[in-house]
């Protein structure tokens, strides 16, 4: 490159003008599952859903209309968390989610608000009892899952960071744990995407599989709620599965799961020590305090109790919409980008923690 050209490029960069991308190939590279890029135009029959049509002077595509129809159904009394997740998955595998970045940004916030709303339907005394019963399950299962994850991940030849992320997601609370531990590990986008993709797929399976298994084994609502809180990764799927099983199962599952989520803090701090990371910040799940506050208000403030059922109803609708958004984000590209070995690790950990915890719960005196 000649000296005048080099000087001219430096001048443009210094002036604040836009600098061309390094290459068209780099710019066109697909985003990782954890990114915000929307899927490209579909081929075959579904390409018609990507073509814009003018409606009231606004360009609207058919897939946008399909998305809003699915979202509208999730707001009705006929929708349930499993149905919402199935609708989202069907949308992702066919026409695609036209609002990937927006739904991904809304999912965590909507889930947190919904969980706080569920607190207005719970009793603090019953929650303390449920949390006390689930404490030792939580301690043993977290330690056992992290240890087993290390051994299986090493056998599979996976990177330490990916193994630790998937293990934390399985042991504590799915995507929330991964999001909190990832920055502590200084994990890159690809490692975060692999861990999140693995956990989200298994969450979807658990939401559909657990209630039929619970009924087949004649689990009580107390037993099922405790099993969900321990063996299902994400809070959204825990609450969705427990809500489908019964109100007492929902109360037990939500309380134990949120108490379990508090273990994000010591596990993240331990991660910083184990991986010798310095100067990192631990993301604290403050929304759990909102859930506790709502539960205390419902228990000790009598005049607020009539509002509780309304807020709980809105929270359940919010949870249903959350699962629709999660399903809509699991495109074929996301599912396929994870690879076989992370799935093997995730399924192994999930199978062990599910079967062992179920056996202990069913045979507990």
């Amino acid at each position: 490159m000649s000296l005048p050209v080099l000087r001219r490029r430096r001048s443009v960069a210094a002036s604040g003008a836009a600098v061309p991308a390094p290459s068209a190939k780099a710019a066109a590279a697909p985003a990782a599952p954890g990114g915000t890029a929307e899927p490209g135009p579909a081929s075959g029959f579904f390409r018609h859903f990507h073509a814009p049509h003018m409606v009231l002077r606004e360009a609207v595509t058919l897939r946008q209309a399909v998305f809003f129809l699915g979202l509208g159904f999730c707001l009705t009394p006929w929708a349930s968390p499993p149905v919402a997740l199935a609708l989202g998955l069907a949308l992702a595998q066919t026409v695609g989610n036209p609002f990937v970045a927006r739904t991904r940004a809304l999912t965590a916030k909507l889930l947190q608000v919904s969980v706080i709303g569920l607190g207005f339907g719970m009793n603090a005394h019953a929650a303390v009892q449920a949390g006390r019963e689930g404490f030792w399950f939580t301690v043993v299962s977290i330690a056992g899952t992290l240890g087993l994850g290390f051994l299986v991940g090493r056998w599979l030849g996976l990177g330490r960071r990916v193994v630790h992320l998937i293990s934390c997601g399985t042991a504590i609370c799915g995507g929330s744990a991964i999001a909190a531990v990832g920055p502590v590990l200084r994990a890159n986008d690809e490692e975060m995407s692999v861990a999140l993709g693995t956990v989200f797929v298994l969450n979807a399976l658990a939401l559909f599989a657990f209630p039929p298994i619970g009924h087949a084994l004649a689990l009580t609502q107390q037993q099922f709620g405790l099993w969900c809180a321990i063996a299902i990764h994400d809070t959204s799927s825990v609450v969705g599965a427990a809500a489908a099983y019964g109100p007492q199962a929902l109360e037990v599952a939500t309380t134990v799961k949120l108490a379990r989520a508090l273990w994000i803090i010591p596990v993240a701090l331990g991660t910083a020590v184990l991986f010798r990371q310095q100067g990192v910040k631990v993301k604290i799940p403050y929304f759990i305090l909102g859930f506790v506050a709502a539960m205390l208000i419902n228990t000790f403030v009598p005049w607020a109790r009539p509002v509780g059922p309304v807020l709980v109803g809105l929270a359940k609708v919010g949870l249903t919409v959350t699962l629709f958004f999660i399903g809509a984000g699991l495109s074929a590209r996301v599912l396929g980008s994870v690879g076989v070995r992370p799935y093997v690790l995730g399924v192994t950990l999930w199978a062990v923690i599910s079967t062992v915890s179920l056996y202990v719960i069913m045979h507990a005196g």
Side-chain angles (χ1 to χ4, degrees):
M1 182 183 296
S2 66
L3 187 58
V5 173
L6 181 59
R7 287 176 176 170
R8 187 161 56 249
R9 287 195 176 182
R10 287 179 177 172
S11 176
V12 171
S15 66
V19 179
S23 67
K25 183 178 179 180
T36 57
E38 296 185 8
S43 59
F45 170 75
F46 293 112
R47 71 177 183 273
H48 301 293
F49 287 81
H50 292 253
H53 302 273
M54 297 305 298
V55 178
L56 299 177
R57 298 182 180 180
E58 294 289 336
V60 179
T61 63
L62 285 177
R63 69 175 185 150
Q64 290 176 335
V66 171
F67 176 89
F68 283 115
L69 284 174
L71 178 59
F73 176 76
C74 292
L75 300 175
T76 68
W78 301 287
S80 65
V83 170
L85 181 63
L87 278 177
L89 286 169
L91 178 78
Q93 307 312 313
T94 53
V95 300
N97 181 357
F99 306 107
V100 173
R102 294 178 184 177
T103 55
R104 185 171 290 124
L106 284 173
T107 298
K109 296 177 182 178
L110 186 57
L111 173 61
Q112 292 172 5
V113 172
S114 299
V115 167
I116 292 173
L118 290 174
F120 286 99
M122 298 188 180
N123 182 275
H125 303 295
V128 169
Q129 179 63 28
R132 186 183 298 122
E133 291 179 357
F135 177 79
W136 288 113
F137 281 114
T138 297
V139 174
V140 175
S141 62
I142 289 176
T145 302
L146 293 177
L148 180 63
F150 172 77
L151 296 176
V152 176
R154 189 171 183 179
W155 176 69
L156 290 170
L158 289 168
R160 276 186 79 194
R161 287 196 290 261
V162 169
V163 169
H164 193 68
L165 288 172
I166 294 176
S167 299
C168 288
T170 306
I172 307 175
C173 57
S176 300
I178 293 171
V181 174
V184 176
L185 282 175
R186 293 190 170 95
N188 58 38
D189 288 343
E190 181 179 356
E191 291 165 336
M192 293 287 289
S193 297
V194 167
L196 289 169
T198 303
V199 165
F200 285 154
V201 170
L202 297 180
N203 269 323
L205 293 175
L207 182 58
F208 294 111
F210 270 52
I213 293 174
H215 287 299
L217 297 176
L219 297 180
T220 66
Q221 291 201 24
Q222 173 79 17
Q223 289 174 323
F224 185 81
L226 186 56
W227 185 41
C228 280
I230 293 173
I232 301 180
H233 310 72
D234 247 17
T235 304
S236 57
S237 293
V238 169
V239 176
Y245 205 79
Q248 185 183 353
L250 175 61
E251 182 171 346
V252 172
T254 306
T255 304
V256 175
K257 190 63 178 180
L258 293 182
R260 191 182 185 89
L262 290 174
W263 282 85
I264 288 176
I265 302 170
V267 169
L269 293 174
T271 297
V273 174
L274 182 64
F275 286 79
R276 299 179 182 178
Q277 304 286 7
Q278 298 179 350
V280 294
K281 294 182 179 180
V282 177
K283 186 178 180 181
I284 300 174
Y286 288 108
F287 75 96
I288 296 177
L289 299 178
F291 169 80
V292 173
M295 185 169 54
L296 293 174
I297 291 172
N298 183 65
T299 305
F300 298 108
V301 183
W303 59 265
R305 290 173 190 166
V307 186
V310 177
L311 296 176
V312 171
L314 293 174
K316 290 181 177 179
V317 173
L319 173 68
T320 302
V321 173
T322 298
L323 287 165
F324 174 70
F325 286 167
I326 290 174
L330 293 176
S331 65
R333 181 165 54 184
V334 171
L335 302 179
S337 65
V338 173
V340 176
R341 289 183 299 166
Y343 278 134
V344 172
L345 173 61
V347 170
T348 301
L349 294 178
W350 185 43
V352 170
I353 193 174
S354 298
T355 53
V356 172
S357 61
L358 178 61
Y359 178 84
V360 173
I361 289 169
M362 291 183 67
H363 293 84

